[in-house]
Amino acid sequence: MNGQPDALPEEPAARPSTPRLGWEEFSRELVEFFASIKLAIFLFLFLAITATVGTVIQQNERPEVYTQEYSENVYRWFLRLGFTDVYHAWWFTSLLGLLCVNSLTCFYKRFPAVWRSMQQDKVGVTLAFIKNSRQQAEIPIANTKESVAQSLLQYFVSKGYRVLAKNEPGEVTVYATKGVMGRVGAHMAHLSATVIVFGGLLGTYYGFQEFGVCLEGQTYHIPRGNFDLKVDKFWIDYHENGSVKSYNSTLTVLDGGQPTVTKTISVNDPLVYKGIWFYQSSYGDSWDQIEVARVNIKDKQSDKILTTVDLEWQKEQTLPDLKLKLAITDFVADFAFNSTEKKVFSKTVEHANPAVKLTLHEGDAVQATPWIFHQFPDLFEIKDSKYQFELVGYKPKKFTGLQIAKNPGINMVWTGCTMIVVGITLSSFIYHRRLWAKIIPTQNGGVTVHIGGTTHKSQIDFQKEFRKLTEKIQTFQA
Amino acid sequence: MMRSLFLFDMTFWLYLAALVLYIAYLFARRPSMALAPAGHPTDNFDERDGAWATQLGQVATLVTVFGWMLNTGALFTRAFERMEHSGTFAPWSNQFEAMAYVSWAIILGYVVLELRYKIKAIGAFVVGIGFIAMGAASLLPYRYQTAEPLVPALNSYWIYIHVSVTLTSYAAFAMAGGLGMMYLFKERAEQRGSTSRFYAAFPDLETIDELGYKAITVGFPMLAFGIILGAMWANYAWGGYWSWDPKETWSLIVWLIYGAYIHARMTRGWEGHKAAIYAVFGFLMVIFCFWGVNFLLSGLHAYA
Ligand code: HEM
């Protein structure tokens, strides 16, 4: 393999005779540095090594997590080095930036040569150049130089080569090339890095990502899109063995008060409206609403269960036998009381200490709004009432967790991704080959074909191809 | 027990047989080079010996191809079983299936290589890796081997293409790793002036080196494509194309490692010995990405 990927020998740049560091010199050195493959290799490996940090150390955790697992001191170092959020640390993003500069400079420095060789190429080479090629052969043939040249040209063309020939009195020179797209592909890959990074930046600065907890039947305003979103329905599908198959929400977009789009989203199938994406991201039990509660009504004196009722959320139910009217008017999943505001609230979203607020009318005399607890049935007793109420169970309302995101950089990212995949694929499977042949007449009336060629990779394939070519040339006898 | 598990078992045994045959082939071969020190062709070369080796080689290839067909059958059977129970078709939906698929891809790659370049000695290394992958899969606890339904995030048509492309690139890197090991063995033998016929059947160093490089140039774009498909999937499922979760990050790390290699190849001195060591190292990183991450690090992919 040759050291320079650009196989044609380059003229050594004329150095200015003055030893002092002029701008010319400096900028050339700079380009040299940034376009060097060494720097590229260093960046690839350094990024690879530093990227492992974030997979070993937990990222973006609370300080306690780090001080517990490591120590105060280590944590301080983590902060200093940005190890608690490696991928957004200034030095990591700088490395990415450097990679972009590196690949752009590489493109700037090397692509013109590739471009030139797509346009036109060097036909005239010396015999010594051919003899020094990596693959070379000398084949004597009993035929005229024109006829051999003709056959050779035809053969190259039939193999998809681009051919140039020069007929001179003493010799014919044939140049054939193929696969320059492989190198164009490599440069496409080089540009892609910058395209992707730019797309990523656009998304970071002009996009957003939010998480919304939404309940069935509610409408939510989406300020960033200036429209409303109504959650019509939420449900879960199960596999036959009881595991969750998918969860789904039917959403309606209300733009200017008018329903415009209705779509059922599920995991892997988002709704897109005005560039804002709504993803079905999770679900869970609501902590402040239920669908139905089952309540035992007991006689206080005999402690006997008189009846069991299922009370729907905020719907009054009348029990004429007991002269009762009941309704569930509030719910908290984890009961807590704020004594200054005199308010009940849910301490966490966990169903740790669930309680419902019962609103009851007993006969004409008693009216009360007691909280009854699932875990502590005997906590309170309602004065003057004949009854005792027990919360036996309840069915919480499910909320649907929606990820709401807008990413204006995404199409740029996908463009860059396409470039990188197409580029690398081209450069992997197409290799650039160049062949030169000189057909020189000999004394005995025949010719000698001197043929040589280079490729910047895939030596064995090229070797095979070259062997076939020489075998073919031997058949060009008159 | 599921029918596919029986087929996977059979595949395992056939790959073992193929591996043994390839190794036997190496020992049985007695090419002129092994008998004649540098440049002295052997006139009294024992023809029967050669014929015997050739036959062994043919049987090895046949057994490999047959094993691969069974592997294919097993994957198809598993696909239908999945269809019945879990609403997806992809027979690479958990660690076990993924490994069975990787060994399928490795063996396919090997068979193509053998047909194209007619070098059988590579089988002892590459079929060996395919066999180990299959063996490691069958050592997984039974609960990993069944076709449990997928969690909703995984249950999507993206799984067909993202996972298969990524796993195929792993297979290419496995092939490169096997070739790298082979290179190092052969090189050591040459340096010690070993005349063991075992090594004599190996292709020359340059060929091994080039083939290893080729395997990497197949794997490299594939891994890029696989990672990008993963990013597109994540964008559909989670609302972000890149979240630096350990599996994602590790596949990027592996890609960067091979990116460095691809570029290093273009500078002098990065062929042969160094490249072979690097290919083995890269393959170890692939193994970590494929196995280690799932079992040692936590993240979004860990539910697989
Ligand atoms: C950012 C990610 C990069 C990717 C994905 C990438 C990819 C590639 C690929 C696939 C090739 C073709 C390799 C081959 O022909 O075997 C290549 C060639 C090359 N790369 Fe990169 N590269 C990247 C960055 C860089 C950087 C930063 C440099 C800086 C010097 C660089 C320098 C080169 C050179 C000089 C070639 C040879 C081009 C030719 O064949 O004419 N690459 N690159």
Side-chain angles (χ1 to χ4, degrees), chain A residues 5-6 35-37 40 44 99 102-103 106 110 183 186-187 189-190 193 420 424 427 456-457, chain B residues 213 220 255 262-263 266:
Chain A
D6 306 320
S36 76
I37 298 192
F44 272 95
L99 189 71
N102 191 187
S103 50
C106 168
R110 294 175 209 265
R183 309 183 76 185
H187 286 291
H190 292 144
I420 206 165
I424 304 179
S427 94
H456 65 306
K457 56 179 189 186
Chain B
Y213 176 46
F220 186 60
W255 186 81
I262 293 266
H263 284 91
M266 284 182 255

Side-chain angles (χ1 to χ4, degrees), chain B residues 12-289:
Chain B
F12 167 81
W13 291 109
L14 277 173
Y15 285 166
L16 176 61
L19 176 62
V20 171
L21 284 166
Y22 274 115
I23 293 173
Y25 163 80
L26 283 185
F27 280 110
R29 233 185 89 142
R30 190 180 292 193
S32 45
M33 213 181 96
L35 296 177
H40 296 283
T42 42
D43 297 323
N44 56 354
F45 174 61
D46 190 341
E47 279 299 333
R48 275 172 307 143
D49 228 14
W52 158 233
T54 310
Q55 275 166 5
L56 254 183
Q58 277 164 353
V59 174
T61 307
L62 275 179
V63 172
T64 309
V65 170
F66 190 59
W68 179 80
M69 279 165 20
L70 260 187
N71 200 342
T72 315
L75 288 169
F76 265 108
T77 312
R78 173 49 68 96
F80 283 111
E81 286 166 0
R82 275 221 165 268
M83 207 62 206
E84 264 170 52
H85 300 293
S86 63
T88 179
F89 200 74
W92 41 71
S93 303
N94 60 27
Q95 187 78 27
F96 170 76
E97 292 167 16
M99 292 176 67
Y101 174 79
V102 165
S103 60
W104 179 87
I106 291 174
I107 301 295
L108 173 64
Y110 170 71
V111 171
V112 169
L113 188 105
E114 189 186 309
L115 289 182
R116 182 148 177 203
Y117 295 98
K118 314 253 178 313
I119 306 168
K120 276 186 197 287
I122 296 168
F125 290 81
V126 175
V127 172
I129 294 176
F131 159 73
I132 290 169
M134 199 70 218
S138 55
L139 286 179
L140 283 171
Y142 182 71
R143 70 197 157 86
Y144 283 103
Q145 301 191 2
T146 53
E148 291 302 316
L150 294 174
V151 300
L154 289 183
N155 198 353
S156 130
Y157 55 85
W158 288 101
I159 199 171
Y160 294 92
I161 174 154
H162 162 61
V163 179
S164 59
V165 169
T166 314
L167 293 179
T168 311
S169 79
Y170 292 170
F173 295 137
M175 171 97 70
L179 286 162
M181 273 186 271
M182 188 170 178
Y183 184 98
L184 294 175
F185 270 107
K186 165 107 178 173
E187 188 188 46
R188 218 168 65 121
E190 273 188 7
Q191 275 163 5
R192 282 198 283 144
S194 163
T195 51
S196 154
R197 48 176 126 149
F198 183 73
Y199 295 107
F202 284 23
D204 61 90
L205 286 176
E206 202 177 348
T207 308
I208 304 177
D209 181 51
E210 270 291 323
L211 287 175
Y213 176 46
K214 245 192 145 73
I216 289 176
T217 57
V218 171
F220 186 60
M222 266 199 176
L223 183 57
F225 190 40
I227 293 173
I228 287 165
L229 286 168
M232 294 181 137
W233 185 3
N235 189 48
Y236 257 83
W238 297 316
Y241 54 88
W242 196 261
S243 52
W244 294 106
D245 108 287
K247 190 85 176 179
E248 251 170 35
T249 309
W250 266 95
S251 58
L252 181 67
I253 290 168
V254 166
W255 186 81
L256 288 169
I257 286 171
Y258 284 108
Y261 172 88
I262 293 266
H263 284 91
R265 260 324 263 219
M266 284 182 255
T267 55
R268 225 177 285 278
W270 266 91
E271 303 166 296
H273 184 71
K274 258 194 193 170
I277 290 178
Y278 200 98
V280 174
F281 162 74
F283 179 45
L284 292 178
M285 291 295 115
V286 170
I287 293 175
F288 183 78
C289 179

Side-chain angles (χ1 to χ4, degrees), chain A residues 1 4-6 32-41 43-44 96 98-107 110-111 113-114 182-194 420 423-428 430-432 456-458, chain B residues 213 217 220-221 224 255-256 259 261-263 265-266:
Chain A
M1 206 142 304
Q4 278 297 326
D6 306 320
E32 199 66 42
F33 172 74
F34 279 120
S36 76
I37 298 192
K38 277 211 185 89
L39 179 63
I41 297 170
L43 285 175
F44 272 95
L96 288 178
L98 207 52
L99 189 71
C100 292
V101 172
N102 191 187
S103 50
L104 284 182
T105 321
C106 168
F107 178 87
R110 294 175 209 265
F111 188 69
V114 176
R183 309 183 76 185
V184 174
H187 286 291
M188 201 158 149
H190 292 144
L191 290 183
S192 72
T194 310
I420 206 165
I424 304 179
T425 307
L426 284 178
S427 94
S428 287
I430 301 178
Y431 56 98
H432 191 201
H456 65 306
K457 56 179 189 186
S458 276
Chain B
Y213 176 46
T217 57
F220 186 60
W255 186 81
L256 288 169
Y261 172 88
I262 293 266
H263 284 91
R265 260 324 263 219
M266 284 182 255

